[in-house]
Amino acid sequence: MANELKYGDQIHLQNGYNGWQGGYLDTNGHSAETGGKYAVSTNDSPTRAKGTGTWEILSASGKAAGQPVVSGDLVYLRNLYGGDGGYLDTNNHATADQKTAGAKFDVSTSQTRDRATGTGRWRIFAQTSTPADQNVRLGDTVHLWNTYGDNGGFLETNNHSSASGAKYDICTNAYFNRSSNVADWKIHKAQA
């Protein structure tokens, strides 16, 4: 099928909060965390600045570029800001306010694939796809679960971001969708 997500594809990830109004996963500003590269939040546009909202999907288990992504696969997400915006990564704890809603870890990018064991690895789970052959496709809604400590939590939007021009802050949560589809992410093909 032409719309299967393949390793090496460049994508935008749209958050499902409030009827898909959660914004697009975006790097914005430098990370204050040790080993961090850029802070991560959402933005109304997938192209706030060149590459900030574009992510390359890579296999974390040795699958070759061009192979289809299967629901349940272990992946890395590499940001393309400046040609290399770093790898999506859990780094430090969520804020006290976020923790009252089940949050676990803050999210930023890191220069390395795994800043610490599992921090940059995400299991991708599609809600469903057509046909139901286990492959993930463009337009599918997915959850991204971090493997840090064997239970890094689900990628979600949580509270407003303080970054300039940003929409919502990003963290991980113990609950796969604690409220209003905050952990739903729709996959869109990035424009060349």
Side-chain angles (χ1 to χ4, degrees), residues 3-189:
N3 64 341
E4 288 175 349
L5 182 63
K6 294 183 174 60
Y7 287 107
D9 282 354
Q10 296 178 9
I11 60 174
H12 301 303
L13 289 164
Q14 182 184 16
N15 185 262
Y17 176 64
N18 195 23
W20 297 103
Q21 298 302 306
Y24 293 86
L25 194 66
D26 185 69
T27 52
N28 189 338
H30 292 279
S31 172
E33 305 301 339
T34 301
K37 189 167 185 176
Y38 294 111
V40 175
S41 52
T42 63
N43 191 274
D44 281 325
S45 170
T47 55
R48 180 187 59 79
K50 187 173 181 173
T52 61
T54 303
W55 302 84
E56 180 182 21
I57 189 159
L58 302 167
S59 175
S61 61
K63 290 187 177 181
Q67 292 294 314
V69 178
V70 175
S71 185
D73 273 2
L74 200 58
V75 302
Y76 294 113
L77 290 168
R78 186 174 76 95
N79 186 264
L80 297 184
Y81 174 65
D84 181 13
Y87 294 87
L88 193 68
D89 183 71
T90 51
N91 192 338
N92 211 340
H93 294 280
T95 67
D97 193 35
Q98 290 170 333
K99 285 183 179 181
T100 65
K104 295 182 79 152
F105 298 108
D106 190 27
V107 173
S108 56
T109 65
S110 172
Q111 186 62 50
T112 58
R113 287 183 173 193
D114 275 309
R115 182 188 48 75
T117 303
T119 61
R121 292 181 215 160
W122 303 84
R123 270 216 196 271
I124 185 168
F125 297 104
Q127 288 184 346
T128 189
S129 195
T130 302
D133 58 3
Q134 301 182 25
N135 290 327
V136 180
R137 291 178 171 76
L138 298 171
D140 284 354
T141 298
V142 298
H143 289 147
L144 292 161
W145 181 74
N146 186 264
T147 65
Y148 175 65
D150 290 328
N151 187 7
F154 292 92
L155 189 72
E156 70 164 15
T157 52
N158 191 324
N159 288 335
H160 292 277
S161 173
S162 60
S164 177
K167 193 161 189 172
Y168 296 111
D169 196 21
I170 300 292
C171 64
T172 63
N173 198 294
Y175 302 106
F176 80 89
N177 225 341
R178 65 177 171 82
S179 171
S180 303
N181 304 319
V182 294
D184 286 354
W185 298 92
K186 188 177 288 186
I187 301 170
H188 301 279
K189 184 174 180 63

